[in-house]
Amino acid sequence: MSSVPESPGPGPRTEGAALPQPGAGTALAAQAPLTALRHLETGPRGLTEGEAEERLARHGENTPPAWHTPSLARRLVQRVREPFTAVLLLLGLVSAAIGSVGTALVILALVTVSCVLCAVGELRADRSVAGLRALVAGTVTVLRRRDTYAARPDERELPVADLVPGDVIRLGPGDLVPADVLLLSSTGLVVGQAQLTGESGPLGKCQASAGSGGTSTGDPGSAPPSGEPDTGTLFGEPHLCFQGSTVLSGGGRAVVLATGAETGLAAGHQHTRPRQSAFDRALHGTAWILVRFMLLTPPVVLAADAAVSGRGVAILPFAIAVAVSLTPEMLPVVVSAVLARGAASLAREREVIVRRLPALHDLGAMDVLCLDKTGTLTQDRPVLDRAVDTAGAPDAAVLRWAARNSLWTLQLAETPVADALDDALLHAATERYGLPCLEEEYEGVAVLPFDPVRRLSTAVLRASGRPGTHILVVKGAVEAVLERCVLAEPEREELRRSAARYAADGLRLLAVATAERPSRAGPHAYSSADEHGLSFRGLVALRDALAPAAPEVLRGLRDQGVGVRILTGDHPGTAARVCRELGLEPGAEGVLTADRIDGLGDRALAEAVGRVTVFARCTPRHKARVVAALRAAGHTTGFLGDGVNDLAALRSADVGLCPRDAVPTVRESADVVLGEPSFAAVEPAVTAGRHSSVTLTSYLRVALSSNLGNAVAMLAAALLFPFVPMLPAQVLAQNLFFDAAQLAFAFDRREPAELRRPAALRPGELLRFITGFGLLNAAADLATFGVLAWTVAEAATEAGQGLFHAGWFTENLLTQAMVMVLLRSGRGIGRRRPAGPVQLAAAVLAVVGIVLPLTPLGPALGMVTALTAASYALLALVLALYGAALVAARRRGGRAAG
């Protein structure tokens, strides 16, 4: 039934790549059918019941391997191994050992909350994805014999799970292929392998010859319906069908090569992510920088004190408190809360499942998105572009002849559903001329369905008022039809050149020809021998139908600063045409094909990917190389795929995305599973990721710059004064209040202007930021020390120390509140905005800093509140100058960033 479009250009189709880690059964694919049957210890009549039971016990059920998600306990252990978490636990143990039980308990509580938040969020996401898994098929027709002496096998309908290697099965229209099989016989068999290759085009299949070693013989046109020979790749082998494929038309008999975990569809279940994502690298890089500071702090404090005052081990609790103050204790909690809230919002509002919470940050940092065009930028169906005669002029009759072929092939072959090409022709003809116009003038008599050897289909029609004459309407690949037509060689060559021009423009071509024959009786009166001496009618050109939402989504991604790269196995002309229609420029170097990619080293490819938008004829290996090259060039890269052939690139990307209807192995390998419609969900997912990324970056800037300033100030005070500037209990209380206020970042709202460009967490930039603003904070603290030392009489006494502690406690919380407000924005400050959670939390923190020393809790913490009016006035001046310096420095940084 299926018609074969001409290939848009020479060369093998490479989209369908070798199966990932094929099982042992797939190795039999290269052998001749009889050899494969002997190897499997079976025959054309199938297995006996006893043999099948023994093999079922040996190989197990034919079901996809269970996807074992890590348990909650294992996820908690993984979180404890994170750098920050591990160091916090170490500091907690040291605190407990020296008697600072309160500090140890607080650290333990923070670690527990953060680990549980993150682990529970990821476990919930994995369970959501597990709910999307589907069985490959329900039942299958199997040939089984009762015993060895049974002459004929019985056809039985068995559950797919009971299938074993060596079973002989029957395939028919509408069936899902239940295992990896080798065809023993076939009639017009056409399958769809979109679930495996991501390509929607139908693929012709036929049995292997006895002596070919698994390769079809005869006409080299034993090619897929794209017209491109695909025998160079395993998915394209015409004699093999794979689990997860759909039988579109025709039927056949096949022997099972592999079941269960040995199938190509299941091979992708066993995997690990080969690289850290952008978020993992950034967070770990930042963590280890701070870890080094934290581990150095206690010995530095002890050494400095030994050189100045010689208090020895008595100052160790203070040294531990300084190290803890440098640590952003709330980092795991805030990170987990921000990412979990963003993931929950996407799941609730967009049906987007974030399986790995850090992937939300990677979405926000993503500046390049790689994707295939089929099913994403284009629909899974072609549409009519034009119908032309031999001279290239528009000719409606050509379309009508092609549609009649499709109509009567569909009806007489009793195919349950038309393939995409026939459906496109029928839709276009019906829309223009109406279905009665196709049915009334001619009546179908017989049909010769499409098969992959002939690469064409023929409908035999009877014309009204012309008894004794039948008309053969032949439709198929251009070359296959041309060689059966009566044409002069110059005319034939001119038609080939015309077809090549159309193909180079990205169009799929069908040739149409007719012939008159004396009428014959019976549906089997015609054969392929009649498909000669034809009159060439013209060409029908089809193009990929654009996905309705694709142009708008691409514009949105472009406005968000996300570049798009098209990685496809299609012909360069087809890919370039789609890009032009969508407003995407192929790039300065045009379309980069797989053979050119093979000629480039890794460094040269990393330079080229920045100048190229479209990569054509890509195998999975080429896709993975392009993604790796983009990452090597400094891009945070995402990949959107849905077929087994996308797994390598999916795992190479910083963040892997897939639609909800992707194959199970892809869904379980992806970081983000998109809802419906999948491509339209990318833009809101990126926006949610940017919100999380900007929020986390703001939090880290605020927390780390403030902590670094406090640590430097306390180290300086340990050298300047014979007493510690703040008691360990006061340090702990201050950290608790500041940490509690920072939880507001998990509920922060961001302005649209802050989300217009990728928001990556870059350790180098962050380190420069916190160093500059941390030293500014330390300068404010040192100025506070000067004010207190000048205004507090007898600072060396116990009462004077209490005044000193109260003054710095108040000033410290006020500066931290200012930092939360003034350093919250990613670029610049001073924009008027309604008070949000962070501003409200900063206000509460400031009130606590002023009021707490005046309450009974103040003396309990060792703070005395009897500062003079002059002290308060000078402290207010220090705060005002500090605020002005923050504003000036932040505005200067905003201009530099812009």
Side-chain angles (χ1 to χ4, degrees), residues 728-738 809 813 852 861 863:
Q730 296 165 358
V731 174
L732 177 61
Q734 171 192 275
N735 286 346
L736 280 175
F737 290 124
F738 187 36
F809 184 89
L813 287 187
L852 187 139
L861 291 174
M863 293 183 286

Side-chain angles (χ1 to χ4, degrees), residues 837-853:
V838 173
Q839 290 89 341
L840 293 176
V844 172
L845 184 65
V847 170
V848 169
I850 296 172
V851 173
L852 187 139

Side-chain angles (χ1 to χ4, degrees), residues 230-241:
D230 199 10
T231 55
T233 59
L234 197 55
F235 278 134
E237 290 290 348
H239 57 287
L240 295 177
C241 293

Side-chain angles (χ1 to χ4, degrees), residues 191-491:
V191 302
Q193 295 188 159
Q195 291 286 298
L196 300 173
T197 65
E199 292 298 317
S200 59
L203 194 67
K205 297 288 186 177
C206 61
Q207 69 273 18
S209 64
S212 63
T215 304
S216 301
T217 60
D219 192 299
S222 57
S226 63
E228 301 180 52
D230 199 10
T231 55
T233 59
L234 197 55
F235 278 134
E237 290 290 348
H239 57 287
L240 295 177
C241 293
F242 298 91
Q243 185 184 60
S245 304
T246 304
V247 179
L248 300 177
S249 64
R253 190 163 50 94
V255 60
V256 175
L257 298 179
T259 61
E262 293 295 323
T263 66
L265 186 62
H269 280 68
Q270 301 172 352
H271 72 276
T272 56
R273 289 188 63 85
R275 296 183 178 88
Q276 288 183 325
S277 70
F279 179 76
D280 296 330
R281 295 194 307 272
L283 193 60
H284 287 190
T286 304
W288 285 114
I289 291 173
L290 294 174
V291 163
R292 294 184 184 99
F293 279 119
M294 290 157 48
L295 296 179
L296 285 174
T297 297
V300 168
V301 172
L302 291 173
D305 179 77
V308 176
S309 60
R311 283 167 288 188
V313 76
I315 202 174
L316 185 58
F318 174 73
I320 296 294
V322 173
V324 172
S325 71
L326 184 62
T327 308
E329 301 99 326
M330 294 303 294
L331 176 65
V333 178
V334 173
V335 168
S336 300
V338 168
L339 296 179
R341 287 191 77 247
S345 175
L346 277 176
R348 182 176 60 255
E349 299 173 8
R350 300 286 181 174
E351 297 183 350
V352 173
I353 300 172
V354 181
R355 299 188 61 245
R356 190 179 60 87
L357 290 184
L360 198 59
H361 165 275
D362 296 333
L363 274 175
M366 181 177 69
D367 58 355
V368 173
L369 175 63
C370 299
L371 46 85
D372 197 348
K373 66 176 186 61
T374 305
T376 304
L377 301 179
T378 61
Q379 301 180 48
D380 289 336
R381 63 179 183 87
V383 294
L384 179 71
D385 185 82
R386 70 191 74 176
V388 297
D389 60 16
T390 56
D395 190 345
V398 176
L399 173 60
R400 286 198 294 269
W401 283 121
R404 290 182 185 114
N405 174 285
S406 299
L407 174 66
W408 292 109
T409 299
L410 179 64
Q411 292 188 7
L412 296 178
E414 298 180 352
T415 306
V417 62
D419 74 6
L421 301 175
D422 286 335
D423 186 66
L425 293 174
L426 287 172
H427 178 78
T430 302
E431 190 176 60
R432 299 184 187 187
Y433 312 115
L435 189 60
C437 178
L438 302 178
E439 292 181 323
E440 290 175 355
E441 189 176 354
Y442 293 91
E443 178 186 0
V445 175
V447 64
L448 300 176
F450 163 83
D451 70 57
V453 175
R454 291 161 45 244
R455 290 195 295 159
L456 46 81
S457 64
T458 298
V460 182
L461 309 181
R462 180 189 299 117
S464 301
R466 296 182 61 188
T469 301
H470 286 168
I471 299 177
L472 275 63
V473 183
V474 180
K475 172 174 96 295
V478 173
E479 187 59 40
V481 174
L482 283 177
E483 67 184 16
R484 290 167 170 83
C485 290
V486 179
L487 293 168
E489 193 56 33
E491 186 178 6

